[in-house]
Coordinates of all heavy atoms in Angstrom, one line a residue:
E329 N 26.9 -6.4 -12.3 CA 25.6 -6.1 -11.8 C 25.6 -5.5 -10.4 O 24.8 -4.6 -10.2 CB 24.7 -7.3 -11.8 CG 24.3 -7.9 -13.2 CD 23.6 -9.2 -13.2 OE1 23.9 -10.0 -12.3 OE2 22.8 -9.5 -14.1
R330 N 26.5 -5.9 -9.6 CA 26.6 -5.4 -8.2 C 26.9 -3.9 -8.3 O 26.4 -3.1 -7.7 CB 27.6 -6.2 -7.4 CG 27.2 -7.6 -7.0 CD 28.2 -8.2 -6.0 NE 28.0 -9.6 -5.8 CZ 28.7 -10.3 -4.9 NH1 29.6 -9.7 -4.2 NH2 28.3 -11.6 -4.8
E331 N 28.0 -3.7 -9.1 CA 28.5 -2.3 -9.2 C 27.5 -1.4 -9.8 O 27.3 -0.2 -9.4 CB 29.8 -2.3 -10.0 CG 31.0 -2.9 -9.4 CD 31.3 -2.3 -8.1 OE1 31.3 -1.1 -8.0 OE2 31.6 -3.0 -7.1
E332 N 26.8 -1.9 -10.9 CA 25.7 -1.0 -11.4 C 24.6 -0.7 -10.5 O 24.2 0.5 -10.4 CB 25.1 -1.9 -12.6 CG 24.0 -1.1 -13.4 CD 23.4 -2.0 -14.5 OE1 23.2 -3.2 -14.2 OE2 23.2 -1.5 -15.6
R333 N 24.3 -1.6 -9.6 CA 23.1 -1.4 -8.7 C 23.6 -0.6 -7.6 O 22.8 0.3 -7.1 CB 22.6 -2.7 -8.3 CG 21.5 -3.3 -9.3 CD 21.3 -4.8 -9.1 NE 20.3 -5.3 -10.1 CZ 20.5 -5.4 -11.3 NH1 21.6 -5.1 -11.9 NH2 19.4 -5.8 -12.2
L334 N 24.8 -0.8 -7.1 CA 25.4 0.0 -6.0 C 25.4 1.6 -6.4 O 25.2 2.4 -5.7 CB 26.7 -0.5 -5.5 CG 26.7 -1.7 -4.6 CD1 28.1 -2.2 -4.4 CD2 26.0 -1.3 -3.3
E335 N 25.9 1.8 -7.7 CA 25.9 3.1 -8.2 C 24.5 3.7 -8.3 O 24.4 4.9 -7.9 CB 26.6 3.1 -9.6 CG 26.8 4.5 -10.2 CD 27.5 4.5 -11.5 OE1 28.0 3.4 -11.8 OE2 27.5 5.5 -12.2
A336 N 23.6 2.9 -8.7 CA 22.2 3.4 -8.9 C 21.6 3.8 -7.5 O 21.0 4.9 -7.3 CB 21.3 2.4 -9.6
V337 N 21.9 3.0 -6.5 CA 21.4 3.1 -5.2 C 22.1 4.4 -4.6 O 21.5 5.2 -3.8 CB 21.5 1.9 -4.3 CG1 21.2 2.2 -2.9 CG2 20.6 0.7 -4.8
S338 N 23.4 4.5 -4.8 CA 24.1 5.6 -4.2 C 23.6 7.0 -4.7 O 23.9 8.0 -4.0 CB 25.6 5.4 -4.6 OG 26.2 4.3 -4.0
E339 N 23.0 7.0 -5.8 CA 22.5 8.3 -6.3 C 21.4 8.8 -5.4 O 21.1 9.9 -5.4 CB 22.0 8.1 -7.7 CG 23.2 7.9 -8.7 CD 22.7 7.5 -10.1 OE1 21.4 7.5 -10.3 OE2 23.5 7.3 -11.0
L340 N 20.7 7.8 -4.8 CA 19.5 8.2 -4.0 C 19.9 8.2 -2.5 O 19.1 8.8 -1.8 CB 18.3 7.2 -4.3 CG 17.8 7.2 -5.7 CD1 16.9 6.0 -5.9 CD2 17.2 8.5 -6.0
A341 N 20.7 7.3 -2.1 CA 21.1 7.2 -0.7 C 22.5 6.9 -0.5 O 23.0 6.0 -1.2 CB 20.2 6.1 -0.1
P342 N 23.3 7.7 0.3 CA 24.7 7.6 0.3 C 25.1 6.2 1.1 O 24.4 5.7 2.0 CB 25.1 8.7 1.2 CG 24.0 9.0 2.0 CD 22.8 8.7 1.1
M343 N 26.2 5.7 0.6 CA 26.8 4.5 1.3 C 25.9 3.3 1.5 O 25.8 2.9 2.7 CB 27.5 5.0 2.6 CG 28.7 5.9 2.3 SD 29.5 6.5 3.9 CE 28.2 7.4 4.7
P344 N 25.3 2.8 0.5 CA 24.5 1.6 0.6 C 25.4 0.4 1.0 O 26.7 0.4 0.6 CB 23.8 1.4 -0.7 CG 24.8 2.1 -1.7 CD 25.3 3.2 -0.9
I345 N 24.9 -0.6 1.8 CA 25.7 -1.7 2.1 C 25.3 -2.9 1.3 O 24.2 -3.3 1.6 CB 25.6 -2.0 3.7 CG1 26.1 -0.8 4.4 CG2 26.5 -3.2 4.1 CD1 25.9 -0.9 5.9
P346 N 26.1 -3.5 0.5 CA 25.7 -4.8 -0.2 C 25.7 -5.9 0.7 O 26.7 -6.2 1.4 CB 26.8 -4.8 -1.3 CG 28.0 -4.2 -0.7 CD 27.4 -3.0 0.2
I347 N 24.6 -6.7 0.8 CA 24.6 -7.8 1.7 C 23.9 -9.0 1.0 O 23.2 -8.8 0.0 CB 23.8 -7.5 3.0 CG1 22.3 -7.2 2.8 CG2 24.5 -6.4 3.7 CD1 21.5 -7.1 4.0
S348 N 24.1 -10.1 1.5 CA 23.3 -11.3 1.2 C 22.8 -11.9 2.5 O 23.5 -12.5 3.3 CB 24.0 -12.4 0.5 OG 23.2 -13.6 0.3
V349 N 21.5 -11.6 2.8 CA 20.9 -12.2 4.1 C 20.9 -13.7 4.1 O 21.2 -14.3 5.1 CB 19.5 -11.6 4.3 CG1 19.0 -12.1 5.6 CG2 19.5 -10.1 4.3
T350 N 20.8 -14.3 2.9 CA 20.7 -15.7 2.9 C 22.0 -16.4 3.3 O 22.0 -17.3 4.0 CB 20.4 -16.2 1.4 OG1 19.1 -15.6 1.0 CG2 20.3 -17.7 1.3
D351 N 23.2 -15.9 2.8 CA 24.4 -16.5 3.2 C 25.3 -15.7 4.2 O 26.4 -16.1 4.5 CB 25.2 -16.9 1.9 CG 25.6 -15.6 1.1 OD1 25.7 -14.5 1.7 OD2 25.9 -15.7 -0.1
G352 N 24.7 -14.6 4.6 CA 25.3 -13.8 5.6 C 26.4 -12.8 5.2 O 27.1 -12.2 6.0
T353 N 26.5 -12.7 3.9 CA 27.7 -11.7 3.4 C 27.4 -10.4 3.9 O 26.3 -9.8 3.6 CB 27.6 -11.8 1.8 OG1 27.9 -13.2 1.3 CG2 28.7 -10.9 1.2
N354 N 28.4 -9.8 4.4 CA 28.4 -8.4 4.8 C 27.4 -8.1 6.0 O 27.2 -6.8 6.3 CB 28.2 -7.4 3.7 CG 29.5 -7.5 2.8 OD1 30.5 -7.9 3.2 ND2 29.2 -7.0 1.5
V355 N 26.8 -9.0 6.6 CA 25.8 -8.7 7.6 C 26.7 -8.2 8.8 O 26.1 -7.3 9.6 CB 25.1 -10.0 8.1 CG1 24.3 -9.8 9.4 CG2 24.1 -10.4 7.0
D356 N 27.9 -8.6 9.0 CA 28.7 -8.1 10.1 C 29.0 -6.6 9.8 O 29.0 -5.8 10.7 CB 30.0 -8.8 10.3 CG 30.8 -9.0 9.0 OD1 30.2 -8.7 7.9 OD2 32.0 -9.4 9.0
Q357 N 29.3 -6.3 8.5 CA 29.5 -4.9 8.1 C 28.2 -4.0 8.5 O 28.3 -2.9 9.0 CB 29.7 -4.7 6.7 CG 30.0 -3.3 6.2 CD 30.3 -3.2 4.7 OE1 30.5 -4.2 4.1 NE2 30.2 -1.9 4.2
L358 N 27.1 -4.5 8.2 CA 25.8 -3.9 8.6 C 25.7 -3.6 10.0 O 25.3 -2.5 10.5 CB 24.6 -4.7 8.0 CG 23.2 -4.1 8.3 CD1 23.0 -2.7 7.8 CD2 22.1 -5.1 7.9
T359 N 26.0 -4.6 10.9 CA 25.9 -4.4 12.3 C 26.9 -3.5 12.8 O 26.6 -2.6 13.8 CB 26.0 -5.7 13.0 OG1 27.2 -6.4 12.7 CG2 24.9 -6.8 12.7
D360 N 28.1 -3.4 12.1 CA 29.1 -2.4 12.6 C 28.6 -1.0 12.3 O 28.8 -0.2 13.1 CB 30.4 -2.6 11.8 CG 31.2 -3.9 12.3 OD1 30.9 -4.4 13.4 OD2 32.1 -4.3 11.5
V361 N 28.0 -0.8 11.1 CA 27.5 0.5 10.7 C 26.3 1.0 11.7 O 26.2 2.1 12.2 CB 27.0 0.6 9.3 CG1 26.3 1.9 9.0 CG2 28.2 0.4 8.4
L362 N 25.5 -0.1 12.0 CA 24.3 0.1 13.0 C 25.0 0.6 14.4 O 24.4 1.6 14.9 CB 23.6 -1.2 13.2 CG 22.4 -1.5 12.3 CD1 21.8 -2.8 12.7 CD2 21.3 -0.5 12.7
Y363 N 26.0 0.0 14.8 CA 26.6 0.4 16.1 C 27.1 1.8 16.0 O 26.9 2.6 17.0 CB 27.6 -0.7 16.5 CG 28.3 -0.4 17.8 CD1 27.6 -0.7 19.0 CD2 29.5 0.2 17.9 CE1 28.1 -0.4 20.2 CE2 30.1 0.4 19.1 CZ 29.4 0.1 20.3 OH 30.0 0.4 21.5
E364 N 27.7 2.1 15.0 CA 28.3 3.4 14.8 C 27.3 4.6 14.7 O 27.4 5.7 15.2 CB 29.2 3.4 13.5 CG 30.4 2.6 13.6 CD 31.2 2.5 12.2 OE1 30.6 3.2 11.2 OE2 32.2 1.9 12.1
R365 N 26.1 4.1 14.2 CA 25.1 5.2 13.9 C 24.1 5.3 15.2 O 23.3 6.3 15.2 CB 24.3 4.8 12.7 CG 25.1 4.8 11.4 CD 25.3 6.1 10.8 NE 24.1 6.7 10.2 CZ 23.7 6.3 9.0 NH1 24.5 5.5 8.3 NH2 22.6 6.8 8.4
L366 N 24.1 4.4 16.1 CA 23.2 4.5 17.2 C 23.6 5.7 18.0 O 24.7 6.0 18.3 CB 23.2 3.3 18.1 CG 22.6 2.0 17.4 CD1 22.9 0.8 18.2 CD2 21.2 2.2 17.2
P367 N 22.7 6.4 18.6 CA 22.9 7.5 19.5 C 23.7 7.1 20.7 O 23.4 6.1 21.4 CB 21.5 8.0 19.9 CG 20.7 6.9 19.7 CD 21.2 6.1 18.6
T368 N 24.9 7.8 20.9 CA 25.8 7.2 21.9 C 26.4 8.4 22.8 O 26.6 9.5 22.3 CB 27.0 6.5 21.2 OG1 26.5 5.4 20.5 CG2 28.0 6.0 22.2
A369 N 26.5 8.1 24.0 CA 27.2 8.9 24.9 C 28.2 8.1 25.9 O 27.9 6.8 26.0 CB 26.3 9.7 25.9
T370 N 29.2 8.6 26.3 CA 30.1 7.9 27.2 C 30.2 8.5 28.6 O 30.0 9.8 28.7 CB 31.5 7.7 26.6 OG1 32.0 9.0 26.3 CG2 31.4 6.9 25.3
A371 N 30.7 7.8 29.6 CA 30.9 8.4 30.9 C 31.8 7.5 31.7 O 31.9 6.3 31.5 CB 29.5 8.5 31.6
D372 N 32.6 8.2 32.6 CA 33.5 7.5 33.5 C 32.8 7.6 34.9 O 32.6 8.8 35.3 CB 34.9 8.0 33.5 CG 35.6 7.7 32.2 OD1 35.5 6.6 31.8 OD2 36.2 8.6 31.7
L373 N 32.5 6.6 35.6 CA 31.8 6.6 36.9 C 32.7 6.1 38.0 O 33.4 5.1 37.7 CB 30.5 5.8 36.8 CG 29.5 6.0 35.6 CD1 28.4 5.0 35.7 CD2 29.0 7.5 35.6
T374 N 32.6 6.7 39.2 CA 33.3 6.3 40.3 C 32.4 6.3 41.5 O 31.7 7.3 41.7 CB 34.6 7.2 40.6 OG1 35.4 7.3 39.4 CG2 35.3 6.7 41.8
M375 N 32.4 5.2 42.2 CA 31.5 5.0 43.4 C 32.4 4.4 44.5 O 33.3 3.6 44.2 CB 30.3 4.2 43.1 CG 29.4 4.8 42.0 SD 28.2 3.5 41.5 CE 29.1 2.4 40.5

Side-chain angles (χ1 to χ4, degrees):
E329 289 173 327
R330 291 187 190 186
E331 291 303 319
E332 181 184 42
R333 281 160 173 74
L334 280 171
E335 182 179 351
V337 172
S338 298
E339 294 173 0
L340 298 171
M343 294 182 292
I345 302 173
I347 66 171
S348 170
V349 180
T350 301
D351 61 24
T353 301
N354 292 340
V355 172
D356 55 347
Q357 180 184 346
L358 175 61
T359 57
D360 287 344
V361 173
L362 266 174
Y363 182 74
E364 293 170 1
R365 299 276 288 277
L366 290 173
T368 297
T370 59
D372 292 314
L373 309 177
T374 301
M375 299 169 284

